[in-house]
Amino acid sequence: MKLTGLACSETRQERVLLSRCSCKTRVQVQESVRGKDVFVIQTVSKDVNTTIMEMLILVYACRTSCARSITGVLPYFPYSKQCKMRKRGSIVSKLIASMMCKAGLTHLITMDLHQKEIQGFFNIPVDNLRASPFLLQYIQEEIPDYRNAVIVAKSPASAKRAQSFAERLRLGIAVIHGEAQDAESDQVDGRHSPPTVKTSRAIHPSMDIPLLIPKEKPPITVVGDVGGRIAIIVDDIIDDVDSFVAAAETLKERGAYKIYVMATHGILSLDAPRFIEESAIDEVVVTNTIPHELQKLQCPKIKTVDISIILSEAIRRIHNGESMSYLFRNIGMDD
């Protein structure tokens, strides 16, 4: 199997032999990359772990072949949602970042990290490009009467992104509060050990650790007027569509007559296309950072926005030593 995602400083594609045997991956660079600028373009597939290992092995092969620089181009950074500590879990995105740096990456190009703080996990330059200009252009050109629209955040956590879109388009904003989420349970994570029952040898009462009031799911409410309007839900990742479908039903009940969902990364795993097709959502717009041709065949509501031009321009500018600020014109932290 030949992988044509390796470009050198002479603007041609080098040949790379990638083979798998007994669940193992082997990479052999078939032409010299000594002293050259190498760009490894890796798209995350459904088999995320295999994709990561292929990239790490390929980067390490280029490093040991004395490439001058190795730039990884990952339109979607895998494991980006696991960027915070959850009870006894781990910060997996930090581990992935360390592995990439250790393998030999000298630069990373990606798009719309789930949390901007992930850039701090790397000790190499990271260019976090934005897809918002392409999505905003789609709204203006492809959604009739978009002036009658309202930008919707399906949870308070998405409010900043929704506010940024609304300010760019000069539209109103609505926030859905009280979506159904599993409350974090403290009963099984060891926080109640030792037992809270006091004994005769208990410490002084003033030193007792106060317990937080457990979270309760509030009733779903929509902050903002969506009646008789087009509702545009914006987010960075759409994978499990249950929350989007529930948000669409809530907006439909509040009087929205057309509902769009816009996200940068369309993972759309499992039965997501079928759920979208059967839901109140009229259209789902995602970029091509992740391949989703099969999902589009299953659901005609899924539309694609091409963002390859900004990735190719980023590669050209890095190779020629030009400034990257042009690609971040009028881009804010919340975009």
Side-chain angles (χ1 to χ4, degrees), residues 87 183-192 212 214:
K87 296 182 180 178
E184 296 182 1
S185 175
D186 294 340
Q187 299 299 324
V188 295
D189 67 351
R191 298 183 192 181
H192 289 297
L212 293 177

Side-chain angles (χ1 to χ4, degrees), residues 137-152:
Q137 183 181 25
Y138 184 93
I139 293 174
Q140 294 173 321
E141 296 179 356
E142 302 296 334
I143 298 181
D145 195 23
Y146 80 92
R147 291 293 182 185
N148 189 37
V150 58
I151 306 299
V152 180

Side-chain angles (χ1 to χ4, degrees), residues 106-258:
T106 59
H107 201 131
L108 177 66
I109 302 174
T110 187
M111 177 164 284
D112 278 345
L113 290 170
H114 183 59
Q115 296 289 340
K116 310 295 189 299
E117 294 79 3
I118 294 177
Q119 292 180 260
F121 294 164
F122 292 85
N123 54 14
I124 59 175
V126 177
D127 286 312
N128 181 27
L129 305 177
R130 306 292 200 277
S132 56
F134 297 91
L135 298 177
L136 291 170
Q137 183 181 25
Y138 184 93
I139 293 174
Q140 294 173 321
E141 296 179 356
E142 302 296 334
I143 298 181
D145 195 23
Y146 80 92
R147 291 293 182 185
N148 189 37
V150 58
I151 306 299
V152 180
K154 69 179 181 64
S155 67
S158 306
K160 287 186 176 181
R161 178 182 294 269
Q163 180 183 0
S164 177
F165 272 65
E167 290 175 351
R168 295 285 194 276
L169 297 169
R170 294 175 173 81
L171 300 176
I173 183 175
V175 180
I176 300 177
H177 179 60
E179 62 179 342
Q181 289 183 341
D182 293 332
E184 296 182 1
S185 175
D186 294 340
Q187 299 299 324
V188 295
D189 67 351
R191 298 183 192 181
H192 289 297
S193 60
T196 56
V197 178
K198 297 181 180 180
T199 64
S200 59
R201 293 181 294 178
I203 58 178
H204 192 274
S206 63
M207 298 180 63
D208 288 347
I209 299 177
L211 298 179
L212 293 177
I213 300 174
K215 292 182 180 179
E216 295 183 2
K217 299 176 183 178
I220 295 179
T221 57
V222 179
V223 181
D225 182 21
V226 297
R229 312 283 289 275
I230 300 173
I232 304 176
I233 305 173
V234 296
D235 211 334
D236 61 330
I237 299 174
I238 176 169
D239 185 3
D240 182 5
V241 298
D242 290 345
S243 59
F244 291 93
V245 171
E249 293 176 354
T250 301
L251 294 171
K252 208 74 172 181
E253 294 173 358
R254 300 302 194 278
Y257 71 91
K258 206 163 187 180

Side-chain angles (χ1 to χ4, degrees), residues 6-18:
L6 181 65
C8 73
S9 60
E10 297 175 0
T11 65
R12 74 172 187 274
Q13 291 182 338
E14 299 287 359
R15 292 182 299 159
V16 177
L17 182 64
L18 187 150

Side-chain angles (χ1 to χ4, degrees), residues 49-117:
N49 297 330
T50 300
T51 299
I52 294 173
M53 284 306 302
E54 285 181 356
M55 179 178 183
L56 293 175
I57 296 173
L58 178 54
V59 169
Y60 189 66
C62 294
R63 175 187 175 185
T64 54
S65 298
C66 299
R68 180 173 63 179
S69 65
I70 306 172
T71 302
V73 183
L74 277 81
Y76 169 67
F77 185 73
Y79 286 99
S80 60
K81 278 194 171 183
Q82 298 189 39
C83 58
K84 296 180 180 179
M85 178 66 73
R86 301 286 185 182
K87 296 182 180 178
R88 292 195 184 94
S90 60
I91 306 176
V92 183
S93 56
K94 167 62 176 175
L95 173 63
I96 300 298
S98 300
M99 292 168 62
M100 289 181 177
C101 295
K102 187 68 175 178
L105 273 189
T106 59
H107 201 131
L108 177 66
I109 302 174
T110 187
M111 177 164 284
D112 278 345
L113 290 170
H114 183 59
Q115 296 289 340
K116 310 295 189 299
E117 294 79 3

